[in-house]
Amino acid sequence: MSIANNVNQVRQTIDAHRTDQAVTLIAVTKSVGPDVANALYAEGIRDFGENRPEGLLEKVEQLPPDAKFHFIGSLQTRKVRQIIDRVAAIHSLDRLSLAEEIDKRAQGVIDCFVQVNVSGEASKHGLEKEEVIPFIENCKQYPHVRIIGLMTMAPFTEDETVIRETFRNLRQLRDDVARHAYPHAPCTELSMGMSNDYTLAIEEGASFVRIGTVLVQ
């Protein structure tokens, strides 16, 4: 494994597939220790993704202070207080009880992505597409919650048409939300794309990609 080569390859691939939008590379470090995360940091990575509070807190303690952490997994309401003031963004806002707890525990405004189950798969978390706008409207009662975008995961398939359609649907939904110009929900960002499909996600408008395997394998 060469972290330097992996990071360089992923960056080149991102640049080759993006148009004019900026793309933030989130290194998903949930399956590796702080040593690997620090090696990624040494190659210029500053955004890290974790799906468990324990893993996130461990990395926070052992990486330099300018590292930014994104919570990318399903977040239990009772664990919000453990991570709330340690995260740059939460990518899995999917229910009002979670928004209420974030608002209750946060010291400042927290950037959040609403998780959407675009594909409708029973195994995936997230709101149905038709639930998103009413949900975002309800979130205006929580002043510490700022919805900066939407997040989804595509089906695990080799059919690029299905994957592209998933990402395109999320982009269209993001545009629908943005047209409402909610003060608490600018909704300009798209968190979509992982190691197996991030090139397609970028071509469909992703501004944040969550990449683990191809960086740390």
Side-chain angles (χ1 to χ4, degrees):
M1 176 181 67
S2 170
I3 293 292
N5 289 342
N6 292 349
V7 171
N8 185 57
Q9 181 61 54
V10 169
R11 283 181 172 145
Q12 289 182 0
T13 302
I14 289 173
D15 287 340
H17 287 271
R18 72 184 184 91
T19 52
D20 59 347
Q21 86 272 21
V23 178
T24 298
L25 168 58
I26 299 173
V28 177
T29 51
K30 63 183 184 181
S31 62
V32 298
D35 55 335
V36 176
N38 272 301
L40 289 163
Y41 180 93
E43 296 302 323
I45 298 292
R46 292 296 179 269
D47 292 86
F48 297 85
E50 291 283 333
N51 69 342
R52 294 173 59 252
E54 297 80 7
L56 186 147
L57 294 172
E58 179 187 32
K59 305 292 196 319
V60 166
E61 294 300 325
Q62 299 196 43
L63 266 70
D66 63 334
K68 294 186 286 188
F69 291 89
H70 300 252
F71 196 87
I72 60 172
S74 181
L75 181 56
Q76 297 177 30
T77 305
R78 64 185 177 86
K79 293 193 174 183
V80 167
R81 63 184 178 85
Q82 295 178 240
I83 57 103
I84 193 60
D85 293 312
R86 304 293 189 97
V87 293
I90 293 170
H91 290 241
S92 51
L93 179 59
D94 61 356
R95 59 198 187 279
L96 285 177
S97 60
L98 180 55
E100 181 179 10
E101 186 69 11
I102 291 169
D103 186 64
K104 175 182 176 181
R105 300 291 183 180
Q107 298 297 309
V109 176
I110 304 298
D111 287 341
C112 297
F113 291 81
V114 172
Q115 184 169 354
V116 187
N117 186 358
V118 175
S119 64
E121 295 173 274
S123 61
K124 285 186 167 59
H125 293 278
L127 300 173
E128 302 298 323
K129 289 188 293 183
E130 62 272 13
E131 296 175 321
V132 169
I133 288 179
F135 174 80
I136 289 176
E137 289 177 344
N138 280 326
C139 283
K140 68 183 178 183
Q141 63 187 299
Y142 305 119
H144 292 111
V145 174
R146 176 170 55 214
I147 296 168
I148 64 168
L150 306 180
M151 184 275 265
T152 200
M153 290 180 284
F156 190 74
T157 175
E158 295 183 2
D159 189 336
E160 290 190 4
T161 301
V162 172
I163 296 170
R164 283 189 184 277
E165 183 179 13
T166 300
F167 293 148
R168 194 171 296 133
N169 283 339
L170 191 74
R171 186 185 74 227
Q172 292 169 349
L173 182 57
R174 186 274 314 270
D175 293 345
D176 289 343
V177 175
R179 276 193 285 271
H180 285 78
Y182 298 117
H184 70 290
C187 207
T188 56
E189 309 299 330
L190 289 171
S191 174
M192 58 189 195
M194 299 186 291
S195 289
N196 61 314
D197 57 19
Y198 73 98
T199 58
L200 302 179
I202 290 168
E203 290 173 0
E204 297 300 334
S207 52
F208 289 78
V209 291
R210 311 176 305 272
I211 301 178
T213 304
V214 297
L215 285 175
V216 302
Q217 64 185 357

